[in-house]
């Protein structure tokens, strides 16, 4: 559980990093959906301390540490995957060996190489759990949603900026679901809400050009949840949402598949059969454009979901 993944279009691979099975792993895999083949790029890289309790990296700037609740997205302009380590997340490193929180790691699938970014100016200063990333190709920046705020990161400049939204704010909670909808040139947020809260489930669109939120919550939609996986199907211009949990992962899961149409501003539940079992927490899902499928990994099983049959032009 708690692994990070995104689809690298230049390599036609889904990049899968880390997770929490027994401690916080920093292994890296890529998935070739066209041939249904997984390849491990590097295993967990750590060593045990003398007391056998904590694990940490020998070279803290060569490979990201194992850490809970990473976020990852694909920068289509630089053709790299961008990984963000959240502030305050549990990690397999021992202070003070670990680099500062909230710095980005870049992965080049062609070179099979990680690059650590040194701090350059301000960085996010909020506690982030279940951070979500999505890349905006219009403004050429990765946008992070969590902790009630938005932050934008430009990989080319290695700079962060806090986004000061105009008007009403969605205040995206930690472990929300977040995706960029390229045909709409807007972000979609399905806001994470706890069962004991009084607020209902909410769906928002964020316009990065105007820096404004729009509440588009329909009458019918997915029940409220946290840590649901979501990705954007760019061929069909819909978002696919899967899973999530109420109260805590060991108590109740939401295992339904939901599809959001931004033109109609509606959610529908297609109820595919079979569907993946839901386990763990902090789900993430990616969309493979070449094969026109959403890719989801649970336990040791890979699932793909095709909303409609089309071919990329």
């Amino acid at each position: 559980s708690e692994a990070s993944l995104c689809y690298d279009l230049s390599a036609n691979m889904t990049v899968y990093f880390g997770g929490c099975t027994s401690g916080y792993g920093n292994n890296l895999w890529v998935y070739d959906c066209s041939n249904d083949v997984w390849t491990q790029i590097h295993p967990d890289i750590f060593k045990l301390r003398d007391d056998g309790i904590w694990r940490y990296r020998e070279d803290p700037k060569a490979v990201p540490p194992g850490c809970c609740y990473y976020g990852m997205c694909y920068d289509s302009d630089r053709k790299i995957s961008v990984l963000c380590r959240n502030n305050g997340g549990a990690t397999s490193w021992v202070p003070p060996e670990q680099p500062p929180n909230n710095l980005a790691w870049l992965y080049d699938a062609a070179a099979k190489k990680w690059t650590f970014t040194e701090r350059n100016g301000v960085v996010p200063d909020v506690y982030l759990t279940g951070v979500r990333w999505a890349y905006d190709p219009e403004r050429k920046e990765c946008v992070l949603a969590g902790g009630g705020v938005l932050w934008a990161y430009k990989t080319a400049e290695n700079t962060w900026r806090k986004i000061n939204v105009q008007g009403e704010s969605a205040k995206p909670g930690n472990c929300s679901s977040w995706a960029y909808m390229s045909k709409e040139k807007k972000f979609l947020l399905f806001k994470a809400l706890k069962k004991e809260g009084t607020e209902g489930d909410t769906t928002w669109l964020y316009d990065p050009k105007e820096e404004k939120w729009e509440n588009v919550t329909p009458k019918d939609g997915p029940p409220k949840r946290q840590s649901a996986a979501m990705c954007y199907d760019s061929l069909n211009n819909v978002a696919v949402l899967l899973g999530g949990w109420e109260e805590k992962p060991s108590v109740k899961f939401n295992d339904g598949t939901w599809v959001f149409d931004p033109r109609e501003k509606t959610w529908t539940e297609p109820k595919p059969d079979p569907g993946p079992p839901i386990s763990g927490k902090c789900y993430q899902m990616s969309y493979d454009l070449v094969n026109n499928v959403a890719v989801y990994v649970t336990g040791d099983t890979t699932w793909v979901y095709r909303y409609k049959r089309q071919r990329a032009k």
Side-chain angles (χ1 to χ4, degrees):
S1 65
E2 302 180 15
S4 305
L5 71 160
C6 70
Y7 174 68
D8 183 325
L9 178 60
S10 63
N12 186 25
M13 298 280 186
T14 294
V15 180
Y16 182 98
F17 176 79
C20 178
T21 302
S22 56
Y24 299 105
N26 62 352
N27 57 94
L28 179 68
W29 295 75
V30 294
Y31 177 59
D32 175 359
C33 184
S34 299
N35 297 297
D36 191 22
V37 174
W38 280 98
T39 302
Q40 188 176 53
I41 304 302
H42 63 72
D44 286 335
I45 302 175
F46 58 82
K47 71 175 184 179
L48 290 174
R49 236 173 43 169
D50 291 340
D51 56 19
I53 298 177
W54 291 92
R55 292 175 288 182
Y56 64 97
R57 291 267 307 114
E58 289 193 48
D59 180 357
K61 295 183 180 180
V63 175
C67 182
C68 65
Y69 298 114
Y70 269 113
M72 186 159 61
C73 68
Y74 177 66
D75 181 333
S76 56
D77 289 286
R78 297 194 67 194
K79 297 180 174 57
I80 52 174
S81 299
V82 186
L83 186 77
C84 177
R85 179 177 174 221
N86 48 292
N87 188 4
T91 177
S92 59
W93 278 357
V94 179
E97 288 93 343
Q98 63 187 33
N101 285 337
N102 296 335
L103 303 182
W105 292 81
L106 313 178
Y107 180 68
D108 184 330
K112 298 182 180 179
K113 181 180 179 181
W114 285 104
T115 299
F116 172 73
T117 63
E118 300 286 353
R119 177 169 180 158
N120 179 23
V122 299
V123 296
D125 58 358
V126 295
Y127 179 85
L128 299 170
T129 295
V131 63
R132 293 294 190 261
W133 278 100
Y135 183 68
D136 179 352
E138 298 291 316
R139 271 145 288 280
K140 302 185 186 304
E141 59 187 15
C142 307
V143 180
L144 173 155
V149 296
L150 298 177
W151 284 81
Y153 175 71
K154 286 188 177 292
T155 55
E157 302 170 6
N158 185 28
T159 55
W160 289 93
R161 69 179 179 91
K162 185 176 182 179
I163 299 175
N164 297 311
V165 299
Q166 307 298 310
E168 182 183 16
S169 174
K171 296 182 179 178
N174 294 336
C175 299
S176 292
S177 305
W178 179 244
Y180 181 76
M181 312 189 83
S182 57
K183 292 185 178 179
E184 305 299 310
K185 299 183 180 179
K186 293 180 180 180
F187 291 87
L188 174 67
L189 172 76
F190 183 79
K191 188 175 178 179
L193 296 166
K194 295 183 178 179
K195 185 176 181 180
E196 59 267 22
T198 58
E199 188 180 2
D201 57 289
T202 54
T203 304
W204 298 75
L205 289 175
Y206 174 70
D207 185 338
K209 182 178 180 180
E210 301 293 331
E211 295 192 341
K212 289 184 178 180
W213 286 100
E214 179 187 5
N215 189 334
V216 294
T217 305
K219 180 181 179 181
D220 299 310
K224 60 184 179 180
R225 62 192 67 196
Q226 294 190 50
S227 297
M230 188 167 72
C231 65
Y232 173 61
D233 175 341
S234 57
L235 285 183
N236 296 293
N237 191 31
V238 296
V240 180
L241 181 97
L242 173 68
W245 53 272
E246 295 180 24
E247 295 186 66
K248 55 184 179 180
S250 60
V251 175
K252 183 178 180 180
F253 296 106
N254 286 296
D255 59 357
T257 300
W258 291 81
V259 175
F260 182 76
D261 183 334
R263 300 290 170 87
E264 300 295 328
K265 297 179 181 177
T266 57
W267 287 100
T268 56
E269 188 178 14
K271 297 183 179 181
D273 185 21
I278 305 302
S279 61
K281 56 184 177 179
C282 198
Y283 311 115
Q284 295 190 42
M285 186 163 53
S286 64
Y287 176 69
D288 181 328
L289 175 63
V290 171
N291 294 286
N292 182 27
V293 292
V295 179
Y296 176 74
V297 181
T298 177
D300 60 355
T301 306
T302 304
W303 290 77
V304 296
Y305 172 68
R306 178 174 289 119
Y307 175 63
K308 288 184 179 179
R309 291 186 175 273
Q310 291 190 10
R311 288 187 177 273
K313 295 180 180 180

